[in-house]
Amino acid sequence: MNSKRRLIVGISGATGAIFGVRMLDVLSRQEDIETHLVMTRAARMTIEVETPFTGKDVERMADVVYDINNVGASISSGSFRTEGMVIVPCSMKSMGSIAHSVGGDLLVRAADVVLKERKKLVLVARETPLHLGHLESMVSLTRMGAVIFPPVPAFYHRPKTLDDIINQTVTRILDQFGIDVALFERWTDEQMRRHPKAVKSSSTAAVAPPKRPGKKRP
């Protein structure tokens, strides 16, 4: 029996392909994780435009790879045991298809299965600005149980390179599945102490309440 935790990783054609590539690269070094990859044709194009990798390079990072047209693959069945699925990045086309249960290819079908089995589906939605149709799809998916996870950069860890920003986002996405890859320094009280003015201001407000005016004696 397979003792590894299976995670389905989908990559669609939205910009931000490096997030999916980095995730697969990181997970390939996790001995207890088995990745099941499905990529759209547009994803393969975006990977070659935005990164130094090819589609074949990315496939080699995964444990199992599926053809986007193989709607009868194991990940299209609810009986296939997984931790859930992440689509990173997730285009608005793929997100809209999932929101309306339009299972046209294996990426959308696998996501639909994850939702119906009440497992975790994380969609790293990559688009800006958003129109009403995008937002309504996000609301519908959230009601279905999906997690909408835009790759919004954080700066509290003081990133010095683009890699630092990518690593923080990938780490936070994998947190959704309880997979700790520790690619950046998480926020702690120690980091807060680096800002003495903020600490002093907070402490003063908590310890020294405003004085009430005393009553005058007759």
Side-chain angles (χ1 to χ4, degrees):
M1 183 177 178
N2 190 346
S3 61
K4 292 187 176 182
R5 301 167 61 192
R6 294 167 172 165
L7 180 65
I8 304 171
V9 178
I11 302 179
S12 73
T15 187
I18 189 60
F19 291 112
V21 175
R22 181 64 50 80
M23 180 175 292
L24 285 169
D25 179 47
V26 169
L27 291 177
S28 69
R29 295 190 287 275
Q30 302 294 311
E31 295 183 357
D32 63 330
I33 303 296
E34 181 180 281
T35 53
H36 291 251
L37 172 65
V38 56
M39 292 188 288
T40 66
R41 288 187 292 274
R44 295 174 183 275
M45 294 173 58
T46 305
I47 286 168
E48 296 192 8
V49 168
E50 296 184 349
T51 79
F53 302 99
T54 65
K56 289 295 182 183
D57 292 333
V58 177
E59 286 181 348
R60 284 190 284 269
M61 298 177 188
D63 294 299
V64 184
V65 179
Y66 301 91
D67 187 293
I68 187 66
N69 296 310
N70 183 12
V71 293
S74 57
I75 60 174
S76 70
S77 172
S79 65
F80 187 71
R81 303 288 295 276
T82 71
E83 297 293 312
M85 181 177 185
V86 55
I87 302 180
V88 50
C90 183
S91 67
M92 294 300 105
K93 176 184 177 181
S94 294
M95 189 178 70
S97 296
I98 299 166
H100 294 90
S101 303
V102 181
D105 58 34
L106 183 58
L107 180 82
V108 176
R109 170 58 185 169
D112 193 59
V113 168
V114 167
L115 284 175
K116 80 179 183 69
E117 294 297 320
R118 304 300 191 266
K119 295 177 182 176
K120 178 152 283 188
L121 175 64
V122 177
L123 305 177
V124 183
R126 181 60 189 85
E127 186 61 273
T128 190
L130 301 169
H131 62 57
L132 182 59
H134 300 152
L135 295 170
E136 287 180 340
S137 290
M138 292 180 181
V139 170
S140 294
L141 285 163
T142 300
R143 286 174 175 159
M144 294 176 196
V147 175
I148 307 301
F149 198 117
V152 178
F155 297 95
Y156 58 82
H157 60 298
R158 297 187 179 181
K160 296 180 175 62
T161 66
L162 186 56
D163 270 352
D164 291 340
I165 293 175
I166 294 168
N167 286 338
Q168 192 271 346
T169 297
V170 168
T171 301
R172 295 291 290 117
I173 294 169
L174 291 175
D175 280 349
Q176 292 290 315
F177 298 94
I179 302 172
D180 187 4
V181 292
L183 297 179
F184 80 108
E185 184 181 2
R186 296 178 184 275
W187 182 255
T188 63
D189 290 340
E190 177 60 31
Q191 285 178 304
M192 189 62 191
R193 282 192 283 271
R194 295 174 186 170
H195 305 278
K197 289 184 179 179
V199 174
K200 183 177 180 182
S201 174
S202 176
S203 299
T204 302
V207 175
K211 295 181 179 180
R212 295 180 180 178
K215 293 183 179 180
K216 294 183 178 179
R217 293 182 179 179

